[in-house]
């Protein structure tokens, strides 16, 4: 597992030389916290992280469990706010992130994990999207190959592609069932989902149920909560 670089921030700005590297796993997080506490104590801390999607999730969970303040920021937003930087490496990015958090400490928005149910929905939807993307890619390639002159050559590939498309669609249906099961776990989420999938006339949008199905409804649910 590749190590991740973190830059700590305390009420005064930390010199660039004050940095350390930790593994992106629970043992590394504990070492990170011990290292920070040795230098500044448990109060007045703000951790600023580059938003790396699912890779930042374990550390966010760790910060949440320990009731620590943290903020997820997109790399593009930080770069636009801080201007052009000469160096481009993990150390330089860590320093830039710390400077950004310090400069905007009074207005920076703290991050908070959504509920476990919404996290499950988010990951299931992301996985479903990947399945659909792979399905479409196979179908497009198979259709293009169908026009190839050598029929004996392309028939086996097309048949194999169709087999994988069927498997992908079976996985999509399984994910849909998992989504419904996860939604049913939380009464509040389930109520919102039921509202999102209510008769179309109620929302003035006839495509909610006919063309949208579970995917759009669940996605809207995640967006709203």
């Amino acid at each position: 597992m590749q190590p991740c670089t973190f830059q700590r921030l305390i009420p005064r700005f930390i010199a660039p030389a004050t940095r350390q590297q930790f593994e992106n796993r629970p043992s590394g997080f504990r070492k990170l916290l011990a290292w920070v506490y040795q230098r500044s104590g448990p109060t007045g801390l703000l951790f600023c992280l580059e938003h790396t999607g699912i890779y930042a999730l374990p550390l966010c969970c760790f910060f949440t469990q320990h009731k620590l303040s943290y903020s997820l920021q997109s790399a593009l937003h930080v770069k636009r706010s801080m201007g052009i930087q000469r160096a481009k490496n993990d150390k330089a990015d860590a320093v830039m992130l710390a400077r950004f958090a310090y400069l905007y400490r009074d207005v920076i928005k703290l991050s908070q994990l959504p509920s476990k149910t919404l996290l499950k929905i988010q990951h299931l939807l992301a996985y479903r999207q990947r399945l659909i993307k792979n399905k479409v890619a196979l179908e497009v390639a198979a259709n293009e190959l169908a026009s190839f002159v050598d029929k004996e050559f392309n028939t086996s590939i097309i048949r194999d592609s169709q087999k994988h498309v069927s498997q992908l669609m079976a996985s999509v249906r399984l994910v849909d069932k998992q989504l419904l099961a996860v939604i049913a776990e939380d009464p509040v989420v389930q109520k919102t989902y039921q509202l999102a999938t209510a008769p179309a006339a109620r929302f003035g949008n006839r495509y909610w149920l006919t063309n949208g199905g579970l995917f759009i409804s669940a996605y809207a649910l995640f967006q709203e909560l």
Side-chain angles (χ1 to χ4, degrees):
M1 184 176 293
Q2 293 294 325
C4 293
T5 302
F6 305 101
Q7 182 79 24
R8 71 189 181 100
L9 181 73
I10 57 178
R12 61 183 182 81
F13 181 68
I14 302 300
T18 309
R19 55 176 169 251
Q20 188 57 271
Q21 199 172 54
F22 304 91
E23 289 186 320
N24 191 15
R25 62 178 65 189
S27 59
F29 304 155
R30 290 190 292 270
K31 291 178 181 178
L32 163 67
L33 204 55
W35 181 77
V36 171
Y37 283 174
Q38 286 176 359
R39 288 157 178 79
S40 65
T43 59
L45 290 172
L46 170 64
F47 293 87
C48 191
L49 298 78
E50 182 180 322
H51 202 315
T52 54
I54 194 172
Y55 300 105
L57 187 58
L59 184 58
C60 293
C61 291
F62 179 83
F63 286 152
T64 300
Q65 291 168 359
H66 288 78
K67 296 180 171 57
L68 296 167
S69 298
Y70 69 94
S71 179
L72 284 169
Q73 297 291 333
S74 73
L76 182 60
H77 175 63
V78 173
K79 289 175 182 177
R80 285 178 174 175
S81 301
M82 301 302 291
I84 299 174
Q85 304 293 316
R86 293 183 179 179
K88 176 58 182 175
N89 52 54
D90 287 344
K91 291 181 180 180
D93 288 347
V95 172
M96 181 171 63
L97 204 55
R99 290 183 183 275
F100 169 86
Y102 180 77
L103 290 173
Y104 297 96
R105 63 191 180 277
D106 294 330
V107 295
I108 197 168
K109 184 178 180 180
L110 298 182
S111 300
Q112 187 177 12
L113 286 176
S115 70
K116 290 183 178 179
T117 300
L118 294 183
L119 279 177
K120 290 179 182 178
I121 291 174
Q122 181 186 32
H123 293 312
L124 283 171
L125 287 176
Y127 179 53
R128 190 186 195 280
Q129 195 170 18
R130 290 195 296 272
L131 291 173
I132 295 296
K133 185 177 180 180
N134 288 332
K135 167 187 170 291
V136 172
L138 282 172
E139 288 177 332
V140 170
N143 290 334
E144 291 176 348
L145 191 61
S147 61
F148 191 65
V149 177
D150 193 339
K151 300 297 181 181
E152 293 182 4
F153 171 76
N154 61 35
T155 299
S156 62
I157 297 178
I158 293 174
R159 287 178 179 174
D160 191 63
S161 297
Q162 292 171 343
K163 181 181 68 175
H164 288 296
V165 166
S166 298
Q167 292 173 343
L168 287 168
M169 287 309 301
S171 295
V172 169
R173 289 190 290 272
L174 179 61
V175 170
D176 287 346
K177 291 181 180 179
Q178 291 175 318
L179 277 166
L180 286 174
V182 169
I183 290 170
E185 292 176 357
D186 190 316
V188 176
V189 175
Q190 186 176 29
K191 183 178 179 180
T192 306
Y193 172 74
Q194 289 171 346
L195 290 173
T197 54
R202 188 171 183 174
F203 294 96
N205 185 346
R206 61 181 179 177
Y207 296 106
W208 267 96
L209 298 183
T210 55
N211 294 341
L214 175 65
F215 175 68
I216 289 181
S217 301
Y219 180 76
L221 166 72
F222 179 76
Q223 292 291 96
E224 292 295 328
L225 292 184

